[in-house]
Amino acid sequence: MPAPNPLSRRRRSLVESEDDDTDDQPDNPDVDSAGSSQPYISSKRVRLNDGSARPSPGPSLHENDLVESSATSHSEGDIGDTRGFGEEDYQPGSIVRVKLKNFVTYTAVEFRPGPSLNMVIGPNGTGKSTLVCAICLGLGWGPQHLGRAKDVGEYVKYGTSEATIEIELAGEPGRHKYNPVIRRQIRKEGNKSTFYISGKPALWKEVQKLARSFSIQIDNLCQFLPQDKVCEFAGLTPVELLYSTQRAAAPPQMLEWHEELKRLRNEQKKLQEQQNTDSETLQNLEGRQQLLRADVERLRERDEIKAKIALLELARPFAKYREARQTHLEMKTVKREAQAALKVLEESVEPSLRAITAKEQYKDEVENVTIKRRRLLNAQDASVDELGKKIADTSAKVDELRKEKDAEKRSDARRLADTAAIQGRIKGIERQMNEKPPQFDLDAFKEQSREKSRMIREIGTQIEEIKEVQRGHVSQGKEKNIAIQRAERELEALNSQVGQKTAKLKTLSRDTARAWEWIQENQDSFEHRVFGPPVVECSVKDPAYTQAVESLFQKNDLLTFTCQSQNDLRKLSNQLYKNLGLAEISIRTISKPLSHFQPPVSLEQMHAYGFDGWAADYISGPEPVMAMLCGECGLMRTGVSLEDISSEQYSSVENSPISTWVTKSQMFQITRRREYGPGATSTRVKELRKAQIWTDQPADMDGKRELFENIEGWKGEVEELKRRVNEQQVKKNDLQRKLTGIEKDKLELDKDKANQQKIMTEFNGLSTKLDQEREKLRVQMKLGTERRARVLDIVAKVDSLVYERAQLAVDYTIAIEALQQLHIDLYAAELALIEAGSDLEILKDRSKDVTDHLTAKRAEVKDIERRLTEAHAMAKRCLTKCQPLLSAASEEENTFLNTLPKDQTPQDLENEIESEKARLELVHEGNPNALNEFESRQQNIDGLRTKLEELEESLGKYGDKIAEIREKWEPELEALIAQISAAFGHNFEQIGCAGQVGISKPADDFDAWAIEILVKFRENEPLTLLTAHRQSGGERAVSTIFYLMSLQTLARSPFRVVDEINQGMDPRNERVVHERMVDIACEEGKGQYFLVTPKLLNGLRYHRRMRVMCIASGEYMPKKNEGLEFGRLVLRARTLKATASAA
């Protein structure tokens, strides 16, 4: 059954040969592909037409305000002026001009919007939203505000490397002499951008600063609402809407106040939570503190006892010091008494001791004399040894000098022999100089040698030429053999199905075929298998479906290689693009397995729609290749039928999840815009093209015949090349033998020449050699003179040393005699010392009793002194221990030490310590950590009380600050919302409805303050809150546009952009909204407005300040600008309409 007419179903339908953004087939005669590396790229141009103003018969659009837009290059002559709008009509910051080059779908285009409302209309896919993208990116904002591609490099036109956006803004009088022009150049490689302001390079921050100086807010959906952000705006929460409204319409300080209020309130909440937490903690700590008080008292008593024990133990060194000091004082008294008794005893025995003392003094004097004489003897003995050493040293020197003299004499004998030899050589040289050698013709030898060298070079050159010819023949033979092997493989391949597919791949793309050959030869270098294009890897299971299946693919899809990992993808891309230099290559990787792709409906539903099966059911190929095709071309979601479907089936499919299907002769594709309601759909229909790829055709017999003939011809050429190589080899062997003989003759000639040259050289050098020998003779004579002088010097030194040795011998004799006399004197002194000692012992025996008593008394005194010293040392050690303890002692410890009894002994102190320890054992210990817990908790309690006081003070300050800012912010916000509500309500009154805007003010939660939009679309219903559930999609769209229009009079931005906001509206609402938009946007001084839409109703209201820009594209666009003028088209349409009305 034939397909139903889509126009009868109140739908937009496009019937075209290909998509706007895809490649067409090369055999399409209506495609303009000039200036493009693609087989086809849609042609788009723009021209702004000037014309005289004609009165409009009704509210329809005026022909002079229609602008058609396309994307081929144009000259400045194609651009008109602003058609009645002067520079003074543009608000500062408004867009005067937008110029694009290689941007998205445009090759080159220039837009000149008006200062008020600009209607941008045209079918889907022509490039309307591209203008919106250009405004966003050209003013320095990023692609994240568009909701499309995430990288700015993706906005560069396919097939080019760089895009340019140039935007001219209206300057501010007094601040700008000329309109500022912002230009952004985008490079695809690396996603790099370069900015210029009025032709000078600028930083991104400078561009942002310039844009924000005009209050341009691209990132505010209330001012800039691109197509892909419409749903996002509709999904704004009331809180977010309040934020965006303040950014768009309020002074900057209001947003700052709001943010400060939110910050202060959040801080205040944190402090209040902290205050409550700390109060609860304080009460808990105080309760627990009371429970521990009894235990703490008992622990404190134990601590007091322990402290007293510690003090008593601290007093131990002091008790020992007092005891040691008392002992020292007592020993001092005993010492004085013993010394007095010793003195009395010494006085009583003094006469008896006086003779002993005199004898002891005599003995000491004799002993001193003996010591002195022993020293003199030792000194004289050392002097004698020194003289003997000097005599020995002098004798050694004499022997050394005599050895030197003998060595000089031996050297002189050798010199005399060398002198005689030199004299003999001199005579021999003089005889040779008298005998001249025969004459030697060097030039003749050189000439003969040069001739031989020339012959060798000529023959060598001939041999190299023959080798070069042979190498050329061998290289040609290798090339012919390779060509023969390749041709034989091709001949064999033509007889197989794979070979036929490979041959077909070469006809489609030589680069792809070359890449496939390289991949087959290098499969081992990849992690996983790399699959070839579907042309060679896949086939159609049923030939009847070949045309339907091929219509689903573009040429690029059929030539795509499939990789199974990112590493293989990068490696293959690097090899094909960089190393092999191939250009027409497409590579993809699979992200999901084939099992992931499932049909959108069941098999029974599919048959009910009239389809035979899914497109994937009729293609066979490797699983990764099928997964790639399902992901890229939707084979598992595309229905296929060999017959046309009925109208009922068409309606069912239209409301099903299926978007693409193929029938007997056509392919259908549905585009749905869910955000604009269930009716916002468009259908594209294409005629099926004839199958060219997966067709069963016989082998190319002409190609086989040509390959066979080439193989036979190349084999004959190889045999001829072998014959030529053999001939050249015979010539080369003859020349090689001739070359060997000449080289041998030249070698003999060079040897003879060298001998003759050596004889002549030696004769010419005799004069120099004679001079050298005479110089050697002179040196030898000089050496003889110097040697005789050295011998005489040695003789003189020997004589001097012999005299010195004789003098030392005399001195040695005198020293020996003196040494003998000193020995005699020493013996006499030692004899006198013995006699004195004997006399002293006799006296001591006579007074032994008296001396023994005196000695005992003296020993007693020494013992007392020793005991006194020990007592002093003990007291000093005790004092040393006490001093640091006393210095480190606290005031309490000092007081305790001072109160100790002076007569307390160490034993008394130990008794008191034992008493206190016994008392400590009687007091129960209890919880040992209770006191620490009590004191630590008390510190925490004191800290919390202080902290709560500080928190109370801080909360008071925050409250005062919040009240101060709120008193400024809230009245201004209410005034702003009241103005918006008045405008919003007025707009709704014009369409017979009601609307109101208010503020939701949760108590002291400034984060939750929000815009409340109340609407009423029916007479008998109350005002209800605008939500995503209560109102329809069209009602929400009307409310959204009216809210944006309400901001128009308050907005600080010089322009607004709204893209396809009217999608999903019913005709009545769209007409009413359009009329209100014209009224508001076209008022004097209201700023610039851009409304982008793919469809408009007939008979809409028109205003002279409006400008309508019509963007058209497609294969039927004229190739030159002069071929299409919308003004003429409007006149032609009116004429046809008038003629039809008259008929």
Side-chain angles (χ1 to χ4, degrees), residues 505 512-513 516 519 531-538 557-562 625 628:
L505 177 62
T512 306
W516 179 229
I519 291 171
F531 294 92
V535 171
V536 298
E537 296 282 7
C538 300
D557 297 328
L558 297 173
L559 298 178
T560 297
F561 295 100
T562 303
V625 179
M628 182 274 292

Side-chain angles (χ1 to χ4, degrees), residues 996-1131:
Q996 178 181 323
V997 180
I999 310 174
S1000 172
K1001 302 178 181 180
D1004 294 333
D1005 191 359
F1006 298 103
D1007 279 324
W1009 281 42
I1011 292 289
E1012 285 186 343
I1013 300 178
L1014 303 174
V1015 295
K1016 183 178 76 171
F1017 286 92
R1018 295 161 191 83
E1019 183 176 359
N1020 295 326
E1021 68 180 14
L1023 284 170
T1024 58
L1025 188 66
L1026 179 66
T1027 66
H1029 308 290
R1030 293 183 181 178
Q1031 289 79 20
S1032 66
E1035 291 171 345
R1036 290 198 304 275
V1038 171
S1039 302
T1040 299
I1041 193 64
F1042 275 175
Y1043 187 81
L1044 294 177
M1045 291 165 58
S1046 301
L1047 297 177
Q1048 182 71 12
T1049 57
L1050 305 173
R1052 296 179 294 114
S1053 178
F1055 64 85
R1056 291 179 180 278
V1057 177
V1058 180
D1059 192 356
E1060 298 194 15
I1061 191 64
N1062 58 333
Q1063 294 298 321
M1065 292 186 187
D1066 57 58
R1068 173 184 174 277
N1069 287 336
E1070 184 177 356
R1071 191 177 301 279
V1072 170
V1073 167
H1074 180 272
E1075 182 175 350
R1076 289 299 302 150
M1077 183 178 292
V1078 171
D1079 290 341
I1080 293 175
C1082 293
E1083 291 182 16
E1084 291 286 344
K1086 292 299 183 182
Q1088 197 176 43
Y1089 215 102
F1090 290 86
L1091 177 62
V1092 182
T1093 178
K1095 55 106 178 176
L1096 283 176
L1097 301 173
N1098 295 325
L1100 294 175
R1101 181 174 179 179
Y1102 174 73
H1103 193 282
R1104 290 295 302 167
R1105 292 183 61 81
M1106 289 173 58
R1107 177 166 297 176
V1108 181
M1109 293 185 283
C1110 299
I1111 301 179
S1113 67
E1115 57 182 307
Y1116 300 109
M1117 294 293 295
K1119 298 182 179 179
K1120 295 184 179 180
N1121 295 348
E1122 292 80 5
L1124 181 65
E1125 294 185 6
F1126 274 20
R1128 296 179 183 177
L1129 292 179
V1130 172
L1131 293 176

Side-chain angles (χ1 to χ4, degrees), residues 751-764:
K751 185 176 180 181
D752 190 16
K753 183 184 72 171
N755 291 333
Q756 293 293 336
Q757 284 179 331
K758 180 179 180 183
I759 294 172
M760 183 57 69
T761 301
E762 289 178 352
F763 178 78
N764 292 334

